[in-house]
């Protein structure tokens, strides 16, 4: 089995990585690779959810992913550093349950006629590049829905629903539901301007089109963020591909939600 690792850059994560590597090598059947071109079977992310986001964008849809969290309990990592022996044993035994998480896909159309296609596992964020209002016409399945004025809009995946989306009171969506969620960041609502002011959850094959009025905006794609000039519109839908997790132990999504947000 070919394994690639993606690490958070801190001393403790390094130590955990050294230990995992040593124990896996002792068991003998693993080969470590460092390049997506080497087609790893398994990508091991050691760090936080942010580390995992980095890993999926580096290695894409082919491998299976598994995570060890070196900080607090993560949404994308199952194992604690004090469980390395059990982890190695589980890997040796094989037979993980493969769980697939939906992604979101977007096409960014710019004034020069170009289309940039991107995908995310957490969310796409739109904000104005300055502190003035972001103005966006929202179309759903080709029909005008509303004009948004405010700080920003988030289109999140189910697994991203516990991240930025949750901070703006979006709903938490179970990752077995193939959907995208549109959430508002500080919309202006008065007699002049009106938005729905609730998060919308859309199924596969539905499309959100965001017509951008600002000359430049900030676009966030998971960890990556950039200022884009001349964006005309962004269309978002449930992604055609899913990210595959190797589950060697059972921790239900709702348990994870409870442990992360209510109490351990
Ligand atoms: P970060 O600043 O470390 O991330 C903020 C927090 O979000 C961290 O605690 C991170 O966990 C957690 N997180 C990431 N993905 C999550 C998920 N799917 N469910 C629950 N929590 C999650 O930056 P980062 O590590 O590069 O992560 C990027 C993400 O930060 C973005 O995708 C966005 O969702 C989130 N974010 C949130 C806000 C907000 O809540 N107001 C604002 C900006 C960005 P770790 O500590 O384990 O990395
Ligand atoms: Mn982080």
């Amino acid at each position: 089995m070919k394994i690639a690792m993606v690490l958070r850059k801190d001393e403790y994560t390094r130590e955990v990585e050294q230990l995992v590597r040593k124990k896996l090598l002792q068991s003998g059947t693993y080969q470590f690779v460092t390049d997506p071109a080497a087609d790893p079977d398994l990508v091991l992310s050691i760090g936080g959810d942010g580390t995992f986001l980095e890993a999926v964008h580096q290695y894409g849809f082919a491998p299976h992913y598994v995570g060890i969290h070196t900080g607090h309990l993560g949404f994308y990592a199952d194992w604690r550093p004090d469980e390395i022996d059990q982890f190695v044993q589980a890997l040796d035994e094989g037979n993980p349950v493969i769980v697939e998480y939906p992604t979101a896909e977007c096409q960014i159309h710019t004034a020069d006629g170009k289309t940039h296609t991107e995908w995310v596992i957490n969310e796409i964020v739109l904000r104005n590049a300055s502190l003035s209002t972001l103005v966006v016409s929202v179309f759903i399945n080709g029909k005008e829905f509303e004009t948004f004025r405010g700080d920003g809009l988030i289109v999140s995946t189910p697994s991203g629903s516990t991240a930025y989306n949750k901070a703006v009171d979006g709903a938490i969506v179970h990752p077995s539901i193939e959907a995208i969620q549109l959430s508002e960041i500080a919309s202006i609502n008065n007699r002049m301007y009106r938005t729905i002011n609730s998060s919308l959850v859309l199924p596969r094959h539905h499309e959100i089109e965001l017509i951008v009025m600002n000359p430049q905006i900030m676009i966030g794609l998971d960890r990556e963020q950039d200022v884009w000039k001349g964006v005309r519109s962004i269309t978002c839908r449930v992604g055609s591909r899913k990210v595959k997790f190797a589950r060697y132990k059972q921790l239900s999504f709702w348990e994870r939600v409870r442990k992360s947000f209510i109490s351990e």
Side-chain angles (χ1 to χ4, degrees), residues 48-50 53 72 75-76 122-123 159-160 162-164 167 222-223:
D49 286 330
L53 296 176
H72 55 89
F75 269 84
Y76 292 119
N122 259 4
E123 75 285 283
S159 61
T162 49
Y164 202 169
D222 289 340
R223 282 207 119 174

Side-chain angles (χ1 to χ4, degrees), residues 195-206:
T195 61
I196 189 76
N197 209 16
S198 298
S199 289
L200 306 178
V201 178
L202 285 78
R204 184 179 275 288
H205 305 305
H206 284 213

Side-chain angles (χ1 to χ4, degrees), residues 75 101 158 161-162 172-175 251-257:
F75 269 84
Y101 276 13
S161 69
T162 49
I172 296 181
V173 178
H174 193 280
L251 177 59
S252 89
F253 179 74
W254 298 118
E255 269 295 279
R256 211 182 280 260
V257 169

Side-chain angles (χ1 to χ4, degrees), residues 186-224:
S187 57
I188 302 173
N189 267 293
N190 54 31
R191 279 183 298 170
M192 294 284 292
Y193 306 137
R194 180 118 336 261
T195 61
I196 189 76
N197 209 16
S198 298
S199 289
L200 306 178
V201 178
L202 285 78
R204 184 179 275 288
H205 305 305
H206 284 213
E207 189 177 83
I208 299 169
E209 189 179 10
L210 306 169
I211 313 281
V212 177
M213 305 301 171
N214 307 69
Q216 50 179 26
I217 57 168
M218 178 83 85
I219 300 179
L221 300 161
D222 289 340
R223 282 207 119 174
E224 208 181 287

Side-chain angles (χ1 to χ4, degrees), residues 73-92:
L73 170 70
F75 269 84
Y76 292 119
D78 292 342
W79 296 88
R80 292 192 311 266
D82 64 0
E83 296 175 314
I84 291 174
D85 287 332
Q86 292 98 300
F87 172 70
V88 172
Q89 194 188 338
L91 240 63
D92 284 345

Side-chain angles (χ1 to χ4, degrees), residues 30-92:
Y30 304 97
Q31 181 196 343
F32 292 101
V33 299
T34 54
D35 184 3
D39 290 329
D41 304 293
L42 189 75
V43 175
L44 172 57
S45 151
I46 310 179
D49 286 330
T51 318
F52 171 81
L53 296 176
E54 222 167 279
V56 288
H57 284 282
Q58 216 172 316
Y59 286 93
F61 295 100
H64 293 164
Y65 290 87
V66 64
I68 298 175
H69 50 91
T70 51
H72 55 89
L73 170 70
F75 269 84
Y76 292 119
D78 292 342
W79 296 88
R80 292 192 311 266
D82 64 0
E83 296 175 314
I84 291 174
D85 287 332
Q86 292 98 300
F87 172 70
V88 172
Q89 194 188 338
L91 240 63
D92 284 345

